[in-house]
Amino acid sequence: MIYTRELRFSTEGEIDLVDITAEVERVVAESGVKNGHVLVFVPGATGAIVTIEHESGLLEDFRRALRELIPKGAGYLHDRIDDNAHSHLRATLLGASECFLVVDGRLIRGTWQQIFFVELDVRPRHRRVIVQAVGE
């Protein structure tokens, strides 16, 4: 069985973190998949999917770490095109997808492990995330 749904939402721009855990769990429940896996994927070069605890201090630490690891305006060649090379590099570092197990119809994740979309582009965007449950 394969069940695919698309999540759509707007973001506020650079390093906006959108908790999509409840929506992914809803898709798994709707899918009817009892045992298998679910893929959460962002089609786009400046967005990412991560797991992290939904705690305000940790989320701010995450933002700061991204800014320090890959700073904006550090002389990247791509900035000659549209001033968002740092966005692309951050997205590449984080990744466009995460895969989770589904057991007995439930998404398996740690107690403090929430699923977030990370907006890395320099401006607010309309985004979509594809969620696909596969299994029996």
Side-chain angles (χ1 to χ4, degrees):
M1 172 186 306
I2 299 173
Y3 184 84
T4 307
R5 284 293 172 262
E6 189 172 288
L7 308 178
R8 290 182 175 265
F9 50 89
S10 295
T11 66
E12 296 179 10
E14 197 161 358
I15 317 183
D16 186 16
L17 300 168
V18 181
D19 187 340
I20 59 172
T21 309
E23 290 86 349
V24 173
E25 288 178 331
R26 179 180 44 78
V27 171
V28 169
E30 290 172 358
S31 74
V33 170
K34 297 299 176 204
N35 294 292
H37 62 271
V38 62
L39 177 69
V40 183
F41 172 75
V42 54
T46 57
I49 301 295
V50 301
T51 61
I52 191 169
E53 181 180 350
H54 193 159
E55 188 276 317
S56 61
L58 182 58
L59 296 178
E60 190 51 44
D61 291 340
F62 178 72
R63 288 180 183 100
R64 187 177 64 232
L66 279 178
R67 288 184 192 110
E68 290 173 1
L69 255 140
I70 303 177
K72 187 175 187 174
Y76 307 112
L77 298 177
H78 181 74
D79 282 344
R80 295 179 298 190
I81 297 170
D82 58 8
D83 275 337
N84 73 343
H86 67 287
S87 304
H88 289 278
L89 294 169
R90 290 171 181 173
T92 300
L93 180 69
L94 297 174
S97 66
E98 291 286 343
C99 189
F100 301 88
L101 293 176
V102 176
V103 176
D104 295 328
R106 295 185 56 230
L107 178 72
I108 301 300
R109 59 183 180 82
T111 302
W112 308 113
Q113 186 179 35
Q114 282 79 50
I115 305 167
F116 277 83
F117 171 82
V118 184
E119 178 61 74
L120 297 161
D121 213 342
V122 295
R123 60 184 173 82
R125 303 278 308 265
H126 297 290
R127 289 296 193 167
R128 62 190 185 112
V129 169
I130 310 300
V131 180
Q132 185 175 72
V134 178
E136 55 184 14

